[in-house]
């Protein structure tokens, strides 16, 4: 009986043991094929087709140049407008005070 090293087929990346009889002789690195490691951005049509194939019919693409967490929250819940509403309310309050002061001054001069 030959004393060869047995290597089992593996489909996972990482380090796999090389065994001879019952003992481990060495470890071997298993890397993914270079075609599976492309890091360029996929085209929008390719992404849409992939999502349809796996059963995702509705999706949104986020074009985040800054904070990804903020961009995702804005897509999910909308843009926070409380600051704009607060500024508008303050401007309306100031305008109301000016109108009230002017009206009171005109009433006092008429009397």
């Amino acid at each position: 009986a030959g004393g060869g090293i047995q290597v089992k087929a593996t489909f996972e990346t990482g380090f796999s043991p090389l065994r001879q009889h019952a003992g481990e002789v060495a470890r071997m690195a298993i890397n993914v094929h270079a075609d599976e490691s492309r890091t360029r951005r996929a085209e929008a049509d390719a992404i849409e087709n992939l999502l349809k194939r796996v059963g995702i019919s509705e999706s949104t693409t986020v074009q985040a140049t800054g904070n990804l967490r903020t961009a995702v929250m804005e897509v999910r819940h909308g843009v926070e407008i409380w600051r704009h509403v607060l500024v508008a309310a303050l401007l309306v309050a100031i305008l109301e005070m000016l109108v009230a002061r002017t009206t009171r001054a005109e009433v006092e001069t008429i009397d």
Side-chain angles (χ1 to χ4, degrees):
I5 295 177
Q6 182 180 13
V7 179
K8 292 185 179 180
T10 181
F11 299 102
E12 295 181 18
T13 60
F15 293 95
S16 293
L18 294 176
R19 299 185 184 276
Q20 184 176 24
H21 301 296
E24 183 177 312
V25 177
R27 288 196 164 268
M28 178 175 72
I30 307 295
N31 298 317
V32 295
H33 192 274
D35 288 345
E36 296 176 9
S37 300
R38 291 188 213 151
T39 56
R40 66 178 169 79
R41 183 177 297 273
E43 298 294 326
D45 292 338
I47 294 172
E48 187 175 329
N49 291 335
L50 173 67
L51 292 175
K52 284 181 182 176
R53 279 197 320 246
V54 297
I56 299 174
S57 59
E58 193 173 321
S59 66
T60 301
T61 302
V62 177
Q63 300 294 334
T65 56
N67 187 347
L68 182 60
R69 175 174 285 175
T70 302
V72 170
M73 293 302 288
E74 286 177 358
V75 168
R76 283 184 171 174
H77 305 291
V79 179
E80 292 185 5
I81 62 169
W82 68 269
R83 288 183 185 101
H84 303 291
V85 172
L86 180 62
V87 168
L90 289 173
L91 290 174
V92 167
I94 291 169
L95 181 64
E96 183 180 356
M97 288 181 347
L98 291 173
V99 168
R101 176 184 287 173
T102 305
T103 306
R104 185 182 306 146
E106 288 176 359
V107 169
E108 287 175 359
T109 57
I110 293 175
D111 290 338

